[in-house]
Amino acid sequence: MKQLRPITPITILAAELGEIITDNAKELSSNPEILRRLKRCKDLAGGLDPYIERHTSAESDDLRRLNEATLSFDWDDRDEDTYVKGLEAEMLSGHVEGQFLKILVSITNAKRVLEIGVFSGYSALAMAEALPSDGELVACELDPRAADFAERHIGAAHLNCDVSVKIGKAIDTIAKLKDSAHPFDLVFIDADKPSYKDYVKTILDYGLIKIGGLFVVDNTLLQGEVYIEDGDMSTPAAGIHEFNEYLTNEPRVTQVLIPLRDGVTLAQRII
Ligand SMILES: C[S@@+](CC[C@H](N)C(=O)[O-])C[C@H]1O[C@@H](n2cnc3c(N)ncnc32)[C@H](O)[C@@H]1O
């Protein structure tokens, strides 16, 4: 199965420290105290995720199968313009974040959930597993190959609630939902980073999330790019940074940025 590259601040740090130790083995052999301390730093960083995984409830068989299928699937770019470029197995949120989402859906008693950015369907399935039988999850995905993959696996899962995958730009799907009589209880955002601000602002402007409803926004640390100062930010990091600044000054929500995986922001609509 595919070996995933590090994509969160803590796993990038662990990998970097590992490389420093390997690349400087000769010099470090004459400085055992520095080597010991570097190894301790590497273990502190590298041991965190495995420890969290071991102390998080196990995923369901349906989620485990979806995870395995995502890792085995060929996500390489297609030439046709209809496909999103750069899809990769690393995009999957996975066990711990899936369980986090599941608990959020459960403790907020959410019945209507909107997801923006489905990919292979892991986070959608995790949230759907926590919805009641009269619950509904509307999931937006631009890439038809990912949408098809997600629909097939979610369709085969043991779910009671209703899940619909809307193919197209999420902002267009949101616009179509504008006159919906029932606002969402929870909105999970995990798609194109430069659009994050538009997604939250539009959903608030349209009243598509209820007062007290929760935005859950993924990748708000963007591999640490938003806070380390070593030159120009990538386009996704600039989008996330703009979003974080916007949200901090958005009076309609109160929020907290949690350093879970690549950063997850919880923002509750208060007015
Ligand atoms: C990080 S992945 C989502 C991962 C998924 N939420 C999970 O936890 O497994 C981002 C997804 O957003 C999709 N996407 C990118 N731009 C989009 C847009 N404008 N509208 C809807 N989906 C978009 C991509 O095709 C990709 O599948």
Side-chain angles (χ1 to χ4, degrees):
M1 213 177 289
K2 191 179 186 294
Q3 184 66 32
L4 301 181
R5 70 190 161 78
I7 51 147
T8 64
I10 202 75
T11 54
I12 292 169
L13 177 63
E16 184 80 11
L17 287 164
E19 273 179 36
I20 290 171
I21 293 169
T22 309
D23 295 350
N24 298 282
K26 205 165 153 210
E27 292 88 330
L28 288 169
S29 64
S30 60
N31 209 330
E33 180 55 12
I34 301 261
L35 178 61
R36 187 190 68 77
R37 290 174 70 182
L38 274 172
K39 279 187 173 160
R40 183 166 160 72
C41 290
K42 178 179 149 284
D43 292 347
L44 266 175
L48 184 65
D49 278 2
Y51 189 82
I52 293 173
E53 290 251 353
R54 282 201 303 279
H55 295 87
T56 295
S57 301
E59 59 193 352
S60 67
D61 286 345
D62 288 330
L63 283 169
R64 185 182 44 74
R65 272 192 289 272
L66 176 48
N67 187 12
E68 287 167 7
T70 304
L71 297 184
S72 321
F73 191 77
D74 173 14
W75 294 104
D76 285 352
D77 285 348
R78 304 282 162 88
D79 288 337
E80 297 97 303
D81 287 341
T82 41
Y83 294 104
V84 173
K85 305 280 183 253
L87 294 187
E88 53 181 359
E90 281 84 352
M91 288 180 153
L92 177 139
S93 47
H95 170 209
V96 172
E97 195 169 345
Q99 179 62 13
F100 181 67
L101 290 166
K102 217 168 153 171
I103 287 186
L104 288 179
V105 170
S106 175
I107 61 178
T108 56
N109 292 317
K111 273 194 175 180
R112 291 200 80 221
V113 172
L114 175 68
E115 173 170 85
I116 301 176
V118 180
F119 183 46
S120 65
Y122 192 95
S123 48
L125 180 54
M127 291 190 288
E129 284 185 349
L131 280 171
S133 53
D134 60 345
E136 182 191 10
L137 185 135
V138 178
C140 311
E141 173 54 50
L142 182 56
D143 185 84
R145 184 175 40 148
D148 174 66
F149 185 101
E151 274 184 315
R152 275 189 288 111
H153 285 84
I154 293 170
H158 301 81
L159 290 176
N160 297 318
C161 65
D162 187 55
V163 178
S164 56
V165 180
K166 311 279 185 202
I167 303 175
K169 286 187 181 167
I171 204 73
D172 297 339
T173 304
I174 292 168
K176 284 183 198 145
L177 293 166
K178 187 180 174 191
D179 297 321
S180 156
H182 306 289
F184 290 97
D185 303 305
L186 188 148
V187 176
F188 178 49
I189 302 178
D190 188 16
D192 48 328
K193 312 311 168 198
S195 302
Y196 273 26
K197 179 180 163 188
D198 277 353
Y199 293 145
V200 168
K201 201 170 170 312
T202 309
I203 288 166
L204 285 169
D205 290 351
Y206 288 178
L208 278 173
I209 187 162
K210 70 173 189 187
I211 294 176
L214 192 66
F215 287 102
V216 185
V217 189
D218 202 15
N219 306 108
T220 47
L221 291 176
L222 219 281
Q223 307 188 1
E225 265 197 78
V226 289
Y227 62 83
I228 51 172
E229 290 171 13
D230 67 347
D232 292 340
M233 281 187 200
S234 65
T235 305
I240 289 290
H241 184 59
E242 186 194 7
F243 169 74
N244 287 339
E245 294 292 310
Y246 153 72
L247 200 69
T248 307
N249 296 299
E250 170 55 78
R252 292 172 287 184
V253 299
T254 177
Q255 78 280 352
V256 57
L257 200 171
I258 301 170
L260 172 70
R261 289 190 84 240
D262 199 23
V264 179
T265 293
L266 302 184
Q268 185 173 34
R269 181 179 169 200
I270 50 170
I271 49 172

